[in-house]
Amino acid sequence: VAMDPLECESCGRLFCKICINDWISKNPITKCPNRCTSNIVPVKSKALLRTYSMLQIRCSNAKCNKILKLGDLKLHE
């Protein structure tokens, strides 16, 4: 599950914002790990973002077994 998802304009793959920014800093010519040279941009589909934020995920804290919506995870942590 990509946190703060960004999307490749060419292939449409989603990436975590932190992860893809790290990738781009090390691979400025090939912006996408799929070797696309298109820009990595914020996800444009409001429907996709809404659906994505409703995904259920377990808290990453080993002492917490709470399952919550992805959109609520940052506030919870």
Side-chain angles (χ1 to χ4, degrees):
V1 175
M3 301 300 288
D4 298 322
L6 296 177
E7 176 179 25
C8 174
E9 284 184 313
S10 181
C11 69
R13 185 153 181 206
L14 298 179
F15 303 97
C16 293
K17 183 177 184 177
I18 291 173
C19 299
I20 197 62
N21 284 338
D22 182 54
W23 169 270
I24 291 170
S25 71
K26 295 174 184 170
N27 303 279
I29 295 171
T30 305
K31 296 178 182 178
C32 174
N34 288 337
R35 296 192 167 97
C36 303
T37 55
S38 297
N39 290 325
I40 304 294
V41 298
V43 177
K44 296 173 184 158
S45 170
K46 291 180 182 179
L48 176 61
L49 288 173
R50 189 172 41 254
T51 301
Y52 209 72
S53 73
M54 298 299 285
L55 290 175
Q56 293 193 347
I57 190 165
R58 184 178 306 275
C59 177
S60 61
N61 183 335
K63 296 179 182 180
C64 179
N65 289 323
K66 190 167 186 172
I67 296 175
L68 52 144
K69 294 176 187 170
L70 183 59
D72 297 334
L73 184 61
K74 282 185 183 179
L75 180 63
H76 172 76
E77 291 179 340

